[in-house]
Amino acid sequence: MDGILERTSWAVDRIWSVPLRFVRALGEMLLLLGRASLWGVRPPYRFGLLLQAMDFIGVGSISIIALVSLFTGGVFGLQSVEAFRIFNAEAYVGTAVSLTLTREIAPVITALMVAGRAGSAMATEIGSMRITEQIDALATLAVNPIQYLVVPRLLASTIMMPALTLIFNVMGMLGAYIFVVLIKGVDRGIFIYNVRWFTDLEDLSMGLIKATVFGLVVALVGCHQGYHASGGAKGVGLATMRTVVISSVSILVLDFILTDVLITLGL
């Protein structure tokens, strides 16, 4: 009987620890965001660090975003042609691709790619600085670690994610045009006309709003995991892994919430 009670208590503790860790991590990230917001408006303003972070997150991600978007748009276009051909409605393939890319696919896939590339790198870099006590050294030199390490990354990711999403939209539509018009033979004029007629600024703005939020979340998760890394090289590796997992799940959950909110608001 004592053994059963002991195992039951252990199981309850294990199950209960999951929401507790989630609430604690969420609280720490909100606290980190609040501290970064306060330090972000105080001098000294480190524009050099901001430009370095924008170069790493934005410019460094352009090639992978362009390649992924080209084939994503192409695959989606091919699938749409086959589906619309059942109803003799190939003329609306361009409309379906453009609306889906701008409102949904471009911000989500861009954020997932940046989380895997830049978010994990942030966690690794800051985590390595944590375990080698470089962050403590910054504080000793009267340099606030939040202002020096976290603020530039949060700003850079929030600024560059919408720009990368725009690139995804352009390259995705190019991929769709190549595979739908040039390979599958859908009329070029109808394809372009329907894209221009049915895709408006509100569709684009929905995707850019999502991208801005995703950019902030990716950087916040990466900085938080790196800032609280412990346990040597193994701890840094775990922080990097958790960054990719938490960022990916957060992006998909937030995408559902933002979609519902933005549609309710009429955007």
Side-chain angles (χ1 to χ4, degrees):
M1 188 65 180
D2 290 342
I4 295 175
L5 289 175
E6 185 178 345
R7 284 195 293 272
T8 304
S9 176
W10 178 82
V12 171
D13 287 343
R14 291 273 296 176
I15 294 172
W16 184 240
S17 66
V18 175
L20 281 180
R21 286 201 302 271
F22 170 76
V23 172
R24 185 174 63 183
L26 181 62
E28 289 176 352
M29 281 192 281
L30 291 176
L31 183 61
L32 181 63
L33 179 61
R35 294 172 65 187
S37 301
L38 292 176
W39 279 103
V41 296
R42 296 178 58 176
Y45 304 110
R46 306 179 191 278
F47 292 108
L49 292 176
L50 176 61
L51 293 177
Q52 286 180 16
M54 291 174 68
D55 177 64
F56 176 72
I57 297 171
V59 179
S61 301
I62 288 178
S63 58
I64 186 69
I65 293 295
L67 182 65
V68 169
S69 60
L70 187 69
F71 286 97
T72 300
V75 169
F76 191 70
L78 288 177
Q79 293 284 8
S80 298
V81 168
E82 297 302 320
F84 279 71
R85 195 163 273 167
I86 298 174
F87 308 100
N88 268 339
E90 296 99 321
Y92 295 101
V93 169
T95 306
V97 173
S98 65
L99 290 179
T100 308
L101 280 179
T102 54
R103 297 169 72 97
E104 194 63 39
I105 291 180
V108 171
I109 294 185
T110 300
L112 291 174
M113 298 302 297
V114 173
R117 179 186 171 274
S120 59
M122 290 181 208
T124 302
E125 184 180 3
I126 298 177
S128 299
M129 295 180 69
R130 168 62 72 189
I131 64 171
T132 56
E133 300 182 350
Q134 294 182 56
I135 293 180
D136 298 328
L138 285 175
T140 304
L141 296 171
V143 176
N144 185 275
I146 301 293
Q147 189 182 35
Y148 189 83
L149 296 174
V150 178
V151 171
R153 288 169 173 80
L154 289 182
L155 286 175
S157 182
T158 305
I159 294 170
M160 296 309 295
M161 194 72 82
L164 291 173
T165 301
L166 285 175
I167 293 173
F168 194 109
N169 283 324
V170 173
M171 295 303 295
M173 287 308 302
L174 176 62
Y177 180 86
I178 292 173
F179 287 98
V180 171
V181 176
L182 301 183
I183 296 179
K184 286 294 182 179
V186 173
D187 185 82
R188 171 179 172 273
I190 293 176
F191 180 89
I192 295 176
Y193 175 81
N194 282 337
V195 170
R196 294 174 60 185
W197 182 257
F198 289 102
T199 307
D200 51 31
L201 193 59
E202 284 75 15
D203 302 311
L204 191 62
S205 64
M206 174 183 277
L208 297 182
I209 291 171
K210 289 181 178 180
T212 304
V213 176
F214 294 160
L216 178 64
V217 170
V218 167
L220 185 61
V221 172
C223 292
H224 168 262
Q225 291 297 322
Y227 200 79
H228 292 87
S230 61
K234 182 180 179 182
V236 176
L238 289 174
T240 303
M241 180 197 68
R242 282 196 293 263
T243 296
V244 176
V245 173
I246 295 173
S247 297
S248 301
V249 174
S250 300
I251 289 165
L252 297 176
V253 173
L254 282 172
D255 180 51
F256 172 78
I257 296 172
L258 287 172
T259 299
D260 185 50
V261 170
L262 293 173
I263 289 177
T264 303
L265 293 175
L267 293 177

